[in-house]
């Protein structure tokens, strides 16, 4: 008697792409929820946090990372993937804080560029663990 292995489910390239895009968009939505929900809480617990742009940027990145990590865990992602994606929230600010502290860029540039650079940083984190996000 021979045993047969069950057929592997293969997805079309379009379906594969949709899975990646859906995961990406879910994480972006979770980040926005983190800012909207945790932002007022941070202002209540830490009045004046936005007096320093550098501190506010890191706290906001934390708000986004917390919500996104919770959503990723709910969706069954591994802890290493969650850690890498959370790092994608901080790395752009970490890079931009040096020129900000040196006076080479403004606080508004730090905030805007940090948020914009999160998006490709997230895409890189997804590419790093493509199999994890392709289902």
């Amino acid at each position: 008697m021979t045993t047969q292995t069950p057929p592997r489910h293969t997805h079309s390239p379009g379906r594969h792409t949709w899975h990646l895009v859906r995961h990406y968009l879910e994480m972006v939505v979770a980040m926005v929820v983190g800012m909207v929900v945790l932002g007022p809480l941070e202002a209540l617990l830490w009045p004046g946090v936005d007096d320093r742009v550098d501190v506010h940027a890191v706290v906001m990145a934390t708000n986004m990372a917390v919500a996104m990590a919770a959503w990723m865990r709910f969706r069954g992602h591994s802890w290493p993937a969650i850690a890498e994606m959370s790092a994608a929230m901080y790395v752009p600010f970490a890079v931009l804080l040096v020129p900000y502290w040196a006076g080479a860029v403004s606080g508004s540039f730090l905030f805007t560029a940090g948020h914009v650079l999160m998006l490709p940083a997230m895409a890189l984190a997804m590419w790093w663990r493509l199999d994890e996000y392709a289902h």
Side-chain angles (χ1 to χ4, degrees), residues 82-118:
I82 292 169
E84 291 160 1
M85 193 59 71
S86 296
M89 303 297 97
Y90 295 100
V91 168
F93 287 116
V95 169
L96 292 168
L97 282 171
V98 173
Y100 171 73
W101 289 329
V105 299
S106 68
S108 61
F109 180 85
L110 168 72
F111 240 72
T112 303
H115 283 87
V116 169
L117 291 173
M118 280 181 190

Side-chain angles (χ1 to χ4, degrees), residues 3-8:
T3 59
Q4 287 186 328
T5 58
R8 293 188 66 188

Side-chain angles (χ1 to χ4, degrees), residues 9 11 16 30 33 35 46 50 56 89-90 95 109 131:
H9 296 285
H11 297 294
H16 178 77
V33 168
M35 286 191 300
W46 191 355
D50 55 355
H56 191 210
M89 303 297 97
Y90 295 100
V95 169
F109 180 85
D131 288 346

